């Protein structure tokens, strides 16, 4: 294809070929592939305890309920490959067994599965399953688990957990201006509009699974590994997903249970998680505790940058959010130190969520930079311009392209940055605090620095001093890499 043909669509409006199907309701999502009467309906029974063991299950009332076809527990589930392995290069292709243990690993852990002729019958019978537990004490608090935190082999993306350039400790100690602050970010869930769902059927020894997943080869390999069948005997269909944001990169027990139920009943079985189960069973973004240490001279040029991050992983996993991965490339500083640690907790798995690592790691760094700007009585954009670099500061390689400085200057000109009221929390519009901030990020995965990013309100929206007295209600980005406005409403 000629170069001109390749460039022709850029900047032009293009029709979404799937648009008419979606707006008219003709696009089939995972749960819609088999119509009522063709497929049986499964319902997952979740544990109401946070950690412990299942001592016994009474399924007699559930089995006698109208329309029930199958009640599956650890007692009658078929053999499956244990969860993992941890060192699999593609973690989304790990085995994901269901009902293979008497352990309850976290609140909402699947402990039974009911299949019936209708969804309502399956849900009603699920409430009749009686389980007896031996609760155990667990660990759920990230901060309390910090002393037992572990150093991972790698962080998500394959980068090293720790990096060091120069002599950070000495440079930070000698810096005439310092910021030493701890920032915390909460657990976050993708909560896609479409709940996680699967419909499975067998044709002889060949399994077909229609599932809500962002990938196809990974669930194919994972289900084959779980069910101990050849990968060539597994087919994955995932034409549409109603939101994923990284949360549907893994496949989950809904696919495993649908496949097991379909094989045992010799008919299609479909499963959809309830909205609470989406929060309980699927992955989330870890909370974090981050200590940011920045040393600078009195002109605002960084001499030391340090970022220590603590995140959560499920007790049976080692996933480590790459909190500092993007931040490592953002600003020049000759002395640098970044460290990642994870705390195994009795919570569901953490994993990738939109802008993994970047969103929370850059937020903390950018807040610290704004605090440094205020300490120096220096314009926050000027501070960033003074610490811009055309050389990747840890690997000492030139960026293939980096337009941060020009994006900041252009954004500042377009949005009247020079007319802003610099003092935080000083402009009000009725009950609202009005401020101006900026956002940008790096993306090392494409080897360049971008003049924009998916950074929530990365520059603290010009309101770092509002603290607990105000909360963000609305943020409108000023464009990629550009300043923008934010409003906060005062709490009573």
């Amino acid at each position: 294809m000629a170069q001109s043909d390749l460039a022709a669509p850029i900047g032009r409006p293009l029709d979404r070929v799937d648009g008419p199907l979606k707006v008219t309701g003709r696009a089939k999502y995972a749960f819609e592939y088999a119509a009522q009467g063709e497929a049986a309906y499964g319902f997952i029974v979740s544990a109401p305890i946070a950690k412990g063991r299942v001592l016994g299950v009474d399924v007699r009332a559930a089995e006698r309920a109208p329309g029930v076809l199958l009640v599956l527990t650890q007692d009658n589930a078929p053999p499956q490959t244990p969860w993992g392995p941890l060192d699999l290069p593609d973690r989304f292709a790990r085995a994901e067994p269901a009902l293979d243990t008497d352990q309850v690993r976290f609140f909402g852990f699947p402990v039974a599965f009911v299949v019936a002729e209708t969804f309502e019958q399956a849900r009603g019978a699920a409430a009749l399953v009686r389980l007896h537990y031996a609760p155990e004490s667990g660990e759920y608090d990230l901060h309390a688990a910090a002393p037992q935190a572990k150093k991972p082999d790698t962080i998500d993306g394959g980068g090293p957990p720790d990096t060091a350039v120069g002599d950070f400790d000495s440079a930070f100690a000698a810096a005439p201006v310092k910021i030493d602050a701890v920032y915390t970010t909460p657990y976050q869930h993708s909560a896609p509009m479409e709940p996680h769902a699967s419909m499975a059927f067998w044709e002889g020894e060949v399994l077909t699974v229609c599932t809500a997943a962002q990938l196809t080869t990974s669930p194919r390999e994972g289900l084959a590994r779980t069910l101990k069948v050849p990968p060539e005997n597994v087919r994955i269909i995932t034409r549409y997903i109603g939101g994923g944001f990284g949360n549907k990169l893994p496949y989950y027990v809904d696919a495993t249970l649908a496949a097991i139920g379909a094989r045992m009943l010799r008919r299609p079985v479909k499963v959809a998680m309830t909205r609470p189960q989406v929060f309980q069973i699927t992955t989330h973004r870890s909370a974090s505790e981050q200590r940011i240490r920045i040393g600078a001279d009195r002109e605002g040029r960084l001499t030391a940058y340090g970022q220590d991050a603590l995140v959560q992983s499920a007790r049976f996993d080692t996933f480590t959010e790459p909190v500092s991965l993007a931040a490592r490339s953002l600003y020049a500083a000759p002395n640098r130190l970044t460290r990642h640690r994870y705390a195994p907790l009795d919570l569901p798995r953490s994993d990738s969520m939109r802008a993994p690592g970047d969103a929370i790691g850059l937020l903390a760094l950018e807040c610290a930079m704004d605090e440094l700007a205020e300490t120096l009585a220096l314009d926050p954009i000027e501070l960033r311009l003074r610490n811009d670099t055309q050389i990747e500061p840890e690997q000492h390689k030139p960026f293939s392209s980096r337009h941060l400085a020009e994006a900041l200057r252009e954004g500042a000109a377009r949005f009247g940055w020079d007319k802003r009221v610099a003092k935080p929390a000083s402009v009000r519009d009725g009950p609202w605090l009005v401020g101006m901030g900026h956002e940008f990020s790096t993306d090392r995965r494409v080897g360049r620095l971008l003049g924009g990013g998916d950074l929530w309100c990365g520059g603290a929206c010009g309101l770092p001093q509002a603290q607990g007295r105000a909360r963000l209600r609305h943020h409108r980005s000023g464009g990629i890499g550009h300043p923008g406005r934010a409003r906060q409403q005062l709490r009573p």
Side-chain angles (χ1 to χ4, degrees):
M1 182 181 292
Q3 183 65 34
S4 59
D5 294 333
L6 286 171
I10 297 176
R12 296 171 51 194
L14 296 175
D15 291 337
R16 289 285 299 268
V17 295
D18 56 352
L21 296 175
K22 289 181 176 179
V23 299
T24 59
R26 290 181 291 145
K28 284 188 176 181
Y29 292 84
F31 197 67
E32 300 172 322
Y33 267 90
Q36 178 82 21
E38 298 177 6
Y41 292 76
F43 194 92
I44 300 170
V45 180
S46 299
I49 64 171
K51 184 180 181 181
R53 308 186 80 85
V54 177
L55 297 180
V57 186
D58 185 349
V59 300
R60 291 172 294 179
E63 289 177 333
R64 292 194 298 265
V68 170
L69 304 170
L70 174 68
V71 180
L72 198 65
T73 69
Q74 184 200 358
D75 296 335
N76 59 338
Q80 300 158 71
T81 301
W83 189 87
L86 278 175
D87 59 355
L88 196 68
D90 179 4
R91 69 177 184 272
F92 304 124
R94 290 170 176 161
E96 185 71 37
L99 310 179
D100 68 326
T101 177
D102 63 354
Q103 292 182 333
V104 175
R105 290 174 170 159
F106 49 80
F107 180 84
F109 191 76
V111 290
F113 182 60
V114 178
V115 185
E117 293 288 355
T118 70
F119 172 79
E120 291 76 13
Q121 289 173 333
R123 180 178 60 184
L128 300 176
V129 176
R130 298 289 178 257
L131 293 112
H132 305 284
Y133 301 95
E136 299 173 3
S137 60
E139 294 181 279
Y140 314 102
D141 186 274
L142 181 62
H143 181 75
Q148 289 76 47
K150 300 179 179 181
K151 178 181 177 180
D153 294 331
T154 63
I155 56 177
D156 183 29
D162 298 355
T163 60
V165 176
D167 185 347
F168 169 81
D169 290 333
S170 297
F172 183 72
V177 184
K178 302 182 183 68
I179 296 295
D180 188 345
V182 174
Y183 302 90
T184 62
T185 60
Y187 291 100
Q188 297 171 330
H189 293 263
S190 298
M193 183 179 295
E194 175 201 24
H196 299 67
S198 297
M199 193 279 293
F201 62 89
W202 293 79
E203 296 173 300
E205 295 301 311
V206 177
L207 169 66
T208 297
V209 180
C210 308
T211 189
Q214 292 176 240
L215 306 174
T216 54
T217 56
S218 297
R220 177 176 181 255
E221 295 174 10
L223 281 168
R225 181 173 286 108
T226 303
L227 302 174
K228 304 179 180 181
V229 299
E232 58 268 23
N233 286 7
V234 180
R235 181 188 181 208
I236 300 294
I237 298 176
T238 175
R239 288 195 177 97
Y240 305 100
I241 58 170
F245 319 111
N247 179 241
K248 288 178 180 172
L249 289 172
Y251 73 102
Y252 298 96
V253 292
D254 58 296
T256 306
L257 289 168
I260 292 173
R263 190 168 216 177
M264 295 179 71
L265 294 173
R266 299 185 179 182
R267 63 181 289 187
V269 171
K270 59 170 62 177
V271 185
M273 293 188 194
T274 65
R275 182 59 61 186
Q277 287 173 339
V278 169
F279 286 84
Q280 297 162 1
I281 298 174
T282 71
T283 58
H284 58 268
R285 192 201 305 278
S286 169
S288 76
E289 290 191 4
Q290 302 176 52
R291 184 185 181 190
I292 305 289
R293 288 176 288 173
I294 298 176
D297 62 24
R298 299 195 183 279
E299 299 301 315
R301 289 180 175 81
L302 303 189
T303 58
Y305 151 66
Q307 188 163 9
D308 291 275
L310 172 67
V311 295
Q312 171 262 338
S313 177
R315 188 167 298 281
F316 54 92
D317 196 9
T318 58
F319 176 82
T320 304
E321 181 89 359
V323 176
S324 300
L325 186 61
R328 288 170 176 170
S329 299
L330 193 50
Y331 298 119
N335 302 284
R336 316 171 68 85
L337 178 67
T338 67
R339 295 180 291 204
H340 293 79
R341 299 294 182 267
Y342 74 92
L345 299 178
D346 300 301
L347 297 173
R349 278 187 295 154
S350 61
D351 211 296
S352 295
M353 182 177 165
R354 177 65 59 85
D358 306 20
I360 58 176
L362 288 169
L363 185 148
L365 174 57
E366 290 300 272
C367 286
M369 287 291 284
D370 278 352
E371 293 191 38
L372 178 62
E374 185 182 14
T375 301
L376 292 164
L378 184 64
D379 182 288
I381 287 183
E382 177 60 28
L383 174 64
R384 287 159 172 84
L385 290 173
R386 292 184 186 184
N387 291 284
D388 189 24
T389 175
Q390 293 299 318
I391 303 296
E392 204 285 335
E394 292 197 355
Q395 300 179 25
H396 305 295
K397 297 179 180 178
F399 288 106
S400 58
S401 94
R402 177 173 171 119
H403 303 285
L404 173 60
E406 57 196 272
L408 284 172
R409 291 190 178 101
E410 178 69 16
R414 291 192 185 191
F415 285 84
W417 184 258
D418 60 332
K419 298 180 179 62
R420 91 191 202 287
V421 178
K423 184 179 179 181
S426 59
V427 179
R428 294 182 178 176
D429 180 5
W432 295 91
L433 291 172
V434 181
M436 183 179 286
H438 44 81
E439 60 178 9
F440 45 88
S441 71
T442 64
D443 193 335
R444 294 176 63 155
R445 289 161 291 188
V446 295
R448 65 182 62 211
L449 185 112
L450 309 176
D454 201 0
L455 195 57
W456 308 96
C457 193
C461 303
L463 295 168
Q465 304 307 310
Q467 297 180 352
R469 297 185 299 106
R471 60 193 176 97
L472 186 69
R473 292 298 300 273
H474 172 72
H475 174 249
R476 184 183 67 196
S477 171
I480 294 180
H482 294 169
R485 290 188 178 275
R487 289 173 177 260
Q488 291 191 340
Q489 188 174 43
L490 293 176
R491 287 177 176 170

